[in-house]
Amino acid sequence: MGDSFGTALLVVLGALVALGLALAVAALVVIRRYDLPLRGTVATLASLAYVVSPVDAVPEIPLGPIGLVDDLMVIIAAVVYVRGLIAARRGLDPAGLDHPGRAPRDLPRQPPPRLPRGRQGNRR
């Protein structure tokens, strides 16, 4: 019985480490790709530190899966906050709509359409 418990514990710890690494990589990609300001970087890294930290507001050991609720709420709050920062940096409101009179920055500028040769006017 001790061997199966040790194996199960090792599998659970491995899954948690893999999840933590995936969250860290995703956070670094978001920080670099969207050029987050310092407060966004701090919020992202602090939320990851809280999730990985053994000190929790609601501990997992005595409460089981219910103890993961605070970690989930911290991740959701960080995602909402960083999404708002990204939307503000892009010139969008938090709902993702363009501000009137401003073009989104991430779209390339399109040259004006060219007419076929015979329709450009009478230039000689």
Side-chain angles (χ1 to χ4, degrees):
M1 180 180 241
D3 189 34
S4 64
F5 178 73
T7 304
L9 185 62
L10 193 59
V11 168
V12 169
L13 287 176
L16 288 175
V17 167
L19 179 64
L21 285 175
L23 285 173
V25 167
L28 290 175
V29 166
V30 167
I31 288 169
R32 302 252 323 154
R33 180 173 181 187
Y34 295 107
D35 193 27
L36 286 181
L38 182 61
R39 62 180 181 253
T41 304
V42 169
T44 303
L45 296 178
S47 67
L48 285 176
Y50 180 80
V51 170
V52 173
S53 169
V55 178
D56 281 334
V58 181
E60 284 88 13
I61 303 259
L63 298 176
I66 296 172
L68 296 174
V69 171
D70 65 327
D71 295 334
L72 185 64
M73 297 310 266
V74 167
I75 291 172
I76 290 171
V79 166
V80 168
Y81 180 69
V82 169
R83 186 174 178 205
L85 288 175
I86 291 170
R89 179 147 300 206
R90 284 183 165 178
L92 305 173
D93 66 6
L97 303 173
D98 293 339
H99 287 299
R102 291 183 68 185
R105 288 191 213 174
D106 57 348
L107 295 178
R109 297 190 113 187
Q110 298 288 332
R114 295 186 67 170
L115 296 175
R117 218 163 201 335
R119 308 217 182 228
Q120 288 184 352
N122 295 332
R123 284 195 244 173
R124 292 183 190 221

